[in-house]
């Protein structure tokens, strides 16, 4: 899923009619694809909103404004508000180091940044249990000082940060690699300082990739389930994020309420996709203008 | 195999790419389609190859008198060489050349031994005998273009079509390959059409050239013929540098080497030498014409240059040896 | 950070013109170490608090063994299915035009953007015996929710974008001339597809399948609802970790996590080798 902004290409011209498949084959392929995507994407999407509103607007409104729901929403925003800026700064630093300099072990570093994608989110939760849990390395000393990390807000924030570490970096690295250093070097020869180069040259060049990375990071941070589930202890009204709240409601057969909460996250996902699509078309347009 | 193109039209949306093209190419000939970019030459070549189709209801393409207008490209037995080589990067050089033989139906496919023999013969022809096992990305541009040519020749095409074959190569390799292509054509004598925007290339390689502009053929003839007797101002200007003089109702074009410079005391148009470029076999001068307030380009051979040296600021008399006069004030 | 910078100065190939090397790399390593590397290394340190025998008994418990089969087997199967449909989706989205194409193209990323818990409850409800699809399937005697088949469906769902998005740009970049060359040499459409178009698609296809596989093996949220989590039947390995954790068996949970990471790593290594082999002609 790397570098979506960096790999946008101009439109392809399919001039030669002789290169096309027979019409019946085209129709069959399009049909199969529509069926597959309809079954796997459209139908679930419809289902979320249908179920959320199946008992009317009043029930929907009550479900998302009930106190446990509101505290779940607050906690989700809180964790996201810490995780996203931290990972944004990390992503910028990592992309700068990797794309502007040559150093030994660069390839290993790139792989390490991807690690949180490669391991199960459950493992992401587990590792913090090992450190801060009651039997963990710092567990007893933290308990003595009355600090609780796991089964509490800090644990949830840590889990959220862990699973979203790679997002901004993965978007920026291929983008900055493809853009090269010419403009930055030009700015340096004109006497700009390091921070001036960064703010005035690099940031404007990568703004769309940066925005896209942040949007993805935000979406995942708000929706993370596995890692947060392990670390939360499921204390209702205290350590439940929106996804965890959905789980509890669903398991208690409060299906409508569960889908009402789910519809909020689904809306977030759709907004994320919308922003992604508009960024893509904007970048494609800019590139076309450059060409012509 | 001769090629006949009759009354071909092609439009892309509103753009008329080809407008009533008629062209005959004799069997074994080597003809260059020459023109600026956008003149329709590549479109014409692609229609002959069957990679594009002419407008419905327009004329037809025949090979040796057989109508192939609606025949699929795969069945035309045409060798097509692309500007950017279009080699199959995942196949070795050997397999690239063998591709056209391997995709034949079982009944027509040569035996493994025959394929190997034929590929080796072609590798020898393109002077890359020891490169069969390499992959295209490991080779230089000139080598890749020769492989593309061998690949096209492997299927023993009736017609060889070359689309700007040397366009992506640097100048030195391009000159080498030109000579090599000319020699190759003399060896195998397959009917060949070469598309190029480089007039030097076209005049050097081809027996005949067809000069295209705005989707039409402006002139067709032997290289020397079109150079010496251009049919119109466009052809004249496209084939080489000219000085143009517009006057009411007509345009006069003069090639830089058809201008003589005399010392000031002679009769003729007066001018002042503005700049002298003396390197190489030909001396190039810029001369300001005093009366016309115009700068012209003059070329002089080294023999003339030595006998009658000129420096910046010298006053001269200008005399045209040969002029082309065409009606109309504008030139393309 | 100065010492770090001078440490790397010795390895430098050319003088650094760009500023900020020490700061950016220093922060990157510090952050990555603190958030990811040190915590992850805890897995192997914690496992070693058990004896080899205990580790072995934990990771070879029949219930755990069965969960490996479910997790790795179904993830592999899902990756294969995603490979097939992903290639088809990418091809159709690049080559054909039809109404709603842009919308569908954007929606392909939905499984990536949709929180896993939402996907989990939605798929579960859809395929439950009283669900929109599950009802009709149950008439045919097919049970999806709370069976391995349900797990497979969830894994196909989350894997879809990985294959499509790795294959799509390669199809977009295909040089039209190469296809024309193949055709002018006498190859038919099917031959052109199999001999010319397919070989360059294999490396990205394998990459996409590997990504889908890796994601599927670790997936928790979207699977846990539809799986039913019946011992020896539909339990996935991440769930085994969670169960051990809920019993405060941290060391045992860690041992299972270690096995999971090692198997995933080995499988990804195999796929990477396969990919390197299949793209060997790319090297100059």
């Amino acid at each position: 899923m790397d570098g979506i902004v960096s790999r946008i290409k101009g439109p392809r011209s399919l001039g030669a009619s002789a290169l096309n498949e027979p019409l019946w084959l085209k129709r069959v392929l399009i049909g199969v694809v529509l069926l597959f995507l309809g079954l796997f994407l459209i139908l679930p999407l419809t289902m979320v909103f249908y179920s959320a509103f199946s008992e009317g607007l009043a029930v929907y409104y009550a479900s998302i404004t009930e106190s446990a729901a509101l505290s779940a929403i607050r906690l989700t925003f809180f964790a996201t508000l810490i995780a996203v800026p931290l990972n944004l700064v990390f992503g910028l630093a990592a992309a700068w180091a990797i794309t502007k300099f040559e150093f030994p072990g660069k390839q290993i570093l790139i792989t390490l940044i991807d690690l949180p994608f490669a391991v199960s989110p459950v493992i992401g939760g587990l590792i913090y249990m090992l450190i801060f849990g009651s039997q963990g390395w710092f567990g007893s000393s933290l308990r003595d000082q009355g600090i609780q990390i796991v089964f509490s807000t800090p644990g949830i924030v840590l889990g959220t940060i862990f699973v979203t570490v790679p997002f901004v970096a993965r978007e920026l690295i291929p983008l900055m690699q493809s853009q090269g250093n010419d403009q930055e070097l030009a700015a340096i020869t004109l006497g700009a300082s390091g921070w001036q180069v960064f703010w005035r040259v690099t940031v404007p060049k990568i703004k769309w990739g940066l925005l896209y990375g942040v949007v993805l990071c935000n979406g995942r941070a708000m929706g993370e389930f596995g890692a947060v589930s392990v670390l939360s202890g499921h204390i209702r009204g205290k350590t439940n994020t929106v996804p965890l709240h959905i789980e509890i409601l669903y398991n208690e057969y409060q299906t409508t309420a569960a889908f009402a909460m789910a519809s909020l996250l689904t809306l977030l996902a759709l907004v994320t996709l919308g922003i992604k699509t508009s960024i893509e078309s904007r970048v494609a347009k800019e590139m076309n203008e450059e060409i012509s | 195999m001769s090629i006949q193109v009759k009354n071909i039209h092609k439009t892309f949306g509103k753009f008329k790419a080809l407008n009533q093209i008629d062209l005959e190419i004799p069997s074994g000939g080597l003809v260059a389609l020459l023109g600026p970019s956008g003149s329709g030459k590549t479109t014409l070549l692609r229609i002959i190859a069957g990679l594009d189709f002419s407008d419905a209801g327009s004329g037809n393409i025949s090979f040796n008198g057989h109508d192939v207008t609606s025949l699929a490209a795969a069945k035309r037995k045409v060798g097509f060489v692309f500007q950017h080589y279009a080699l199959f990067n995942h196949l070795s050089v050997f397999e690239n050349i063998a591709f056209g033989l391997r995709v034949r139906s079982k009944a027509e496919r040569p035996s493994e031994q025959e394929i190997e023999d034929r590929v080796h013969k072609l590798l020898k022809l393109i002077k890359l005998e020891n490169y069969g096992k390499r992959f295209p990305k490991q080779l230089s541009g000139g080598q890749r273009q020769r492989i593309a040519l061998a690949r096209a020749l492997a299927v023993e095409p009736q017609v060889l079509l070359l689309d700007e074959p040397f366009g992506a190569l640097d100048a030195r390799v391009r000159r080498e390959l030109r000579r090599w292509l000319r020699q190759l054509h003399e060896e195998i004598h397959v009917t060949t059409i070469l598309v190029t925007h480089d007039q030097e290339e076209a005049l050097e390689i081809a027996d005949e050239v067809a000069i295209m502009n705005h989707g039409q053929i402006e002139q067709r003839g032997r290289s020397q013929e079109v150079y010496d007797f251009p049919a119109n101002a466009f052809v004249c200007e496209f084939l080489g540098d000219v000085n143009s003089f517009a006057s009411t109702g007509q345009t006069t074009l003069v090639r830089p080497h058809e201008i003589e410079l005399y010392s000031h005391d002679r009769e003729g148009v007066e001018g002042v030498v503005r700049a002298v470029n003396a390197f190489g076999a030909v001396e190039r001068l810029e001369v300001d014409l005093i009366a016309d307030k115009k700068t012209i380009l003059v070329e002089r051979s080294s023999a003339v240059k030595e006998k009658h040296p000129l420096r910046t600021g010298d006053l001269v008399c200008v005399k045209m040896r040969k002029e082309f006069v065409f009606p109309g004030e504008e030139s393309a | 950070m100065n010492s770090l910078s001078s440490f790397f100065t010795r390895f430098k190939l050319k003088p650094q013109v760009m500023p900020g090397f020490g700061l950016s790399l220093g922060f990157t390593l510090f952050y990555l170490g603190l958030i990811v590397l040190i915590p992850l290394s805890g897995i192997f340190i914690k496992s070693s608090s058990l004896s080899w025998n205990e580790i072995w008994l934990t990771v070879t418990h029949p219930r755990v063994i069965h969960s490996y089969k479910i997790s790795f087997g179904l993830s592999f199967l899902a990756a294969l299915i995603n490979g097939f449909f992903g290639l088809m989706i990418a091809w159709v989205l690049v080559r054909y035009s039809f109404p709603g194409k842009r919308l569908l193209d954007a929606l392909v990323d939905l499984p990536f953007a949709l929180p896993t818990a939402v996907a989990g409850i939605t798929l579960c409800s859809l395929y439950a015996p009283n669900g929109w699809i599950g009802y009709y399937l149950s008439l045919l005697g097919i049970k999806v929710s709370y069976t391995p088949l349900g797990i497979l469906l969830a894994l196909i769902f989350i894997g879809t974008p990985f294959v499509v998005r790795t294959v799509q740009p390669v199809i977009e970049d295909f040089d039209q001339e190469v296809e024309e060359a193949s055709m002018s040499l006498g190859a038919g459409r099917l031959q052109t597809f199999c001999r010319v178009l397919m070989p360059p698609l294999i490396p990205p296809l394998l990459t996409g399948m590997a990504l889908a596989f890796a994601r599927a093996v670790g997936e928790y949220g979207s699977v846990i609802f539809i799986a039913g989590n019946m011992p020896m039947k539909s339990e996935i390995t991440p769930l085994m970790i969670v169960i051990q954790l809920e019993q405060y068996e941290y060391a045992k949970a860690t041992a299972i996590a270690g096995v999971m990471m090692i198997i995933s790593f080995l499988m990804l290594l195999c796929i990477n080798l396969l990919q390197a082999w299949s793209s060997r002609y790319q090297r100059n």
Side-chain angles (χ1 to χ4, degrees), chain C residues 134-154:
Chain C
Y135 174 73
Y136 297 100
L137 289 177
S138 70
L139 292 182
L140 298 170
I142 302 170
K143 226 173 147 271
V144 179
S145 280
Y146 321 123
T147 68
L149 186 58
I151 300 177
L152 181 65
L153 274 182

Side-chain angles (χ1 to χ4, degrees), chain C residues 126-198:
Chain C
L126 266 180
Y127 290 96
N130 58 351
W132 289 1
I133 302 177
Y135 174 73
Y136 297 100
L137 289 177
S138 70
L139 292 182
L140 298 170
I142 302 170
K143 226 173 147 271
V144 179
S145 280
Y146 321 123
T147 68
L149 186 58
I151 300 177
L152 181 65
L153 274 182
L155 296 181
I156 294 172
F157 172 80
I158 56 153
T160 306
F162 291 92
V163 175
V164 177
R165 294 304 188 219
T166 42
V167 172
Q168 202 175 11
V170 181
I171 299 180
E172 277 168 2
D173 274 355
F174 271 149
D175 184 357
Q176 193 179 309
E177 283 190 350
V178 172
E179 276 170 77
E180 290 172 349
S182 162
M183 200 167 54
S184 77
L185 290 167
R189 192 65 193 145
L190 185 65
Q191 281 177 317
T192 301
F193 184 81
C194 295
R195 287 170 178 261
V196 175
L197 298 176
M198 202 52 208

Side-chain angles (χ1 to χ4, degrees), chain B residues 46 74 78 89-90 103 137, chain C residues 180 183 191 195 199 281-282:
Chain B
R46 290 170 59 87
V78 161
N89 286 329
H90 63 285
V103 296
K137 289 210 167 167
Chain C
E180 290 172 349
M183 200 167 54
Q191 281 177 317
R195 287 170 178 261
Y281 55 83
Q282 298 275 355

Side-chain angles (χ1 to χ4, degrees), chain B residues 178-195:
Chain B
R178 260 188 226 165
R179 275 196 297 277
W180 176 76
L181 179 66
R182 182 71 240 182
Q183 282 168 9
L184 186 76
H185 183 256
E186 273 154 22
E187 271 175 57
I188 57 177
H189 264 293
V190 58
T191 312
T192 303
I193 304 180
L194 166 80
V195 159

Side-chain angles (χ1 to χ4, degrees), chain C residues 29-85:
Chain C
L29 294 179
F30 169 75
Y31 187 87
L32 205 61
L34 202 66
I35 300 286
V36 180
L37 301 182
I38 296 173
L40 267 180
S41 63
I43 297 232
F44 296 97
I45 297 169
K46 186 72 188 181
S47 313
S48 61
S49 70
L50 292 176
S51 71
W52 281 109
N53 195 36
E54 281 173 297
I55 294 179
W56 183 250
L57 286 178
T58 307
V59 302
T60 58
H61 187 281
R63 225 173 123 186
V64 180
I65 294 275
H66 192 270
S67 82
Y68 299 147
K69 287 184 195 157
I70 291 284
S71 271
F72 289 96
L74 290 180
S75 295
F76 189 71
L77 194 58
L80 284 183
I81 295 171
N82 273 325
F84 178 77
F85 283 105

